[in-house]
Structures are given as C-alpha cells and as structure tokens.
Amino acid sequence: MHATKALTEADRLMTVCNSCRYCEGLCAVFPAMEMRRNFEDGDLNYLANLCHNCGACFVDCQFSPPHEFNMNVPKVMAQVRADSYAAYAWPRAFAPMFEKNGVKISLVAALSVALFIAGFVAWHDPSALFGQHA
C-alpha cells in the first residue's frame, strides 16, 4: 500500500508501462523503470524526479485518454514530484511553501535581490552605487 493516491496511481501506470514498453526510448524514466516489478514509494519518487514532464509519452501512448486505462504519466509524475518535494522539505516548516509556490518564490527572489543590494551598499562605499560617474 502506498502513502498517497498519487503514488498508488503512479504504481498502476508504471506497471502498465512496464508491460507495454512502447515508449522505453523516450526519456530516462522508462529505462530506470524496466528493472523493477514492484514499485515502492521511494522508487516512484525517484522515477517522478527523472520525469521532465515533456509529454512525449502521453502523445505516443496507445492507452492515453480516451482509452479506458487513462494513462497520463506526465500528470501523475508531476503530482508525485510535488508531493515528494513537500515530503522531503527541510526544514519541515517549509513544506507548505510547495503549494501555490509561484507567489512565494517570487517574493523570496525579490527579497533576496533586495538584501544583496543592501549588503553591497553596506559593505562598499554607497557612492559606488548611487554616486555620479564620469
């Protein structure tokens, strides 16, 4: 039994992919997957982090929607990858930052640049940044 629904779905997808192997040459996920028959949570997290979410397997897959198998490997791997980032975040208090992270990352980046400039001004002569140069 897997820890999340996304990992359970990824296990189902990798089992079907492992039996078909039509897209084994597309990316690093499929050669890494083919040596396994059972997929533990750590294996699925590893495979999800190998996926670049290019979508080539979705386009090439004969079992992608509207087929009843509903194979959407890029979507499920993206969810597993996001869950693994939150699960392995350190310090643990940063785990919620992986939900709706666009605004948070933008704020952290802007504050980092502002702190860098403030540190530059404090370390060096402020006229190097704000002075008139000939």
Side-chain angles (χ1 to χ4, degrees):
M1 198 66 187
H2 296 289
T4 65
K5 289 181 181 179
L7 286 170
T8 303
E9 178 64 7
D11 186 7
R12 181 186 76 85
L13 295 179
M14 292 298 101
T15 301
V16 173
C17 288
N18 210 1
S19 63
C20 174
R21 295 197 185 179
Y22 179 73
C23 52
E24 69 182 344
L26 291 179
C27 73
V29 172
F30 302 103
M33 168 207 63
E34 68 187 18
M35 299 304 291
R36 295 170 173 84
R37 301 229 180 217
N38 298 319
F39 298 96
E40 302 296 327
D41 289 354
D43 296 335
L44 293 168
N45 286 326
Y46 173 72
L47 293 173
N49 282 286
L50 286 176
C51 175
H52 294 288
N53 215 24
C54 68
C57 59
F58 180 76
V59 173
D60 286 356
C61 184
Q62 58 192 340
F63 302 124
S64 62
H67 192 276
E68 63 184 307
F69 285 1
N70 194 25
M71 300 290 289
N72 194 343
V73 174
K75 178 183 174 186
V76 173
M77 289 301 188
Q79 182 61 47
V80 170
R81 192 169 43 253
D83 292 347
S84 75
Y85 293 166
Y88 295 113
W90 184 87
R92 195 76 183 131
F94 289 163
M97 287 187 73
F98 289 100
E99 296 175 19
K100 298 181 183 175
N101 62 351
V103 173
K104 295 170 187 171
I105 288 176
S106 299
L107 289 173
V108 168
L111 288 174
S112 298
V113 169
L115 285 173
F116 176 78
I117 292 172
F120 180 82
V121 170
W123 186 261
H124 295 294
D125 182 24
S127 65
L129 189 61
F130 297 111
Q132 185 176 13
H133 301 283

